[in-house]
Amino acid sequence: MVNIAGMIKAIYLDLGRVLIDIDLNVAIRGLEKATSWPLSDIAQFLNGELIQEYELGRISTDIFYRTFCESLQTIIPVEEFKTLWSEIFVTEPLLSESFLQSLARNYPLHLLSNTNELHYDFVVSRYPLLRHFKERVLSFQVGRMKPQKEIYQVAIERSRVGAAEIFFSDDRPENVEGGLAVGIQAVQFHNEAQLKQDMRKAGIVF
């Protein structure tokens, strides 16, 4: 990370495993019970092309749901499917409300996330702390995913500041590298204490 104390003018944070923890195994086990397909097949499916197409916004939620049921040769009531699909989110956020409030008082706070419509709608409905985030650069809305450089360029444009004036944190090293490649000050997320330490090094006041 480039250290330029006092130069940060906007902050972007990832959603899953930074703001809110996720556990894919919860959804996989729930879908296993609903479909009777083995865990390994469901896990492989969840890492496949259909998920990427959905997170890029290339297919609608309705098409995703119907294709999912057809692919696994099962019928899950749509509301049950939405619940099972969103059970990956662990209840307690990884970042405290007080910390986000203090950041939002001093900086524009934004989201930069690879996500899909169902997951995003679920998080918005369950986690009031998202109210602290102004811009929300989401893969399914902009048609690009981290670590593609285009999604970072959208983030820079929406922040209305220079790349070097943005601080970004993500749990995945390749997404951090993607930010660094376009000049953003980026660090890998491990926990709140570590993030605070890296933010202080960058001159961020909270």
Side-chain angles (χ1 to χ4, degrees), residues 86-166:
S86 298
E87 283 185 342
I88 66 169
F89 293 99
V90 178
T91 304
E92 290 300 320
L94 292 171
L95 297 180
S96 64
E97 177 88 10
S98 59
F99 176 44
L100 294 173
Q101 283 178 327
S102 62
L103 287 174
R105 278 196 294 267
N106 297 321
Y107 305 90
L109 193 56
H110 311 309
L111 280 181
L112 178 55
S113 178
N114 291 347
T115 190
N116 56 75
E117 184 179 42
L118 278 178
H119 282 168
Y120 179 66
D121 288 348
F122 177 85
V123 168
V124 168
S125 69
R126 297 293 181 91
Y127 295 90
L129 52 77
L130 261 71
R131 70 184 185 279
H132 299 299
F133 294 82
K134 295 183 178 180
E135 289 291 342
R136 303 177 185 191
V137 181
L138 311 173
S139 62
F140 78 95
Q141 292 181 344
V142 301
R144 294 292 186 273
M145 297 180 75
K146 296 173 293 184
Q148 297 173 333
K149 67 178 181 180
E150 291 86 357
I151 195 168
Y152 301 98
Q153 291 168 340
V154 171
I156 294 167
E157 290 170 4
R158 291 191 182 180
S159 70
R160 299 177 181 84
V161 302
E165 298 171 316
I166 297 172

Side-chain angles (χ1 to χ4, degrees), residues 147 152 170-180 187-190:
Y152 301 98
D170 193 294
D171 65 298
R172 299 178 67 91
E174 65 269 28
N175 294 341
V176 172
E177 290 299 321
L180 291 170
V187 300
Q188 188 175 1
F189 177 84
H190 298 287

Side-chain angles (χ1 to χ4, degrees), residues 13-29:
L13 298 176
D14 182 29
L15 180 56
R17 295 198 173 106
V18 174
L19 185 60
I20 303 166
D21 203 4
I22 60 176
D23 185 352
L24 290 173
N25 291 325
V26 175
I28 291 172
R29 287 192 296 268

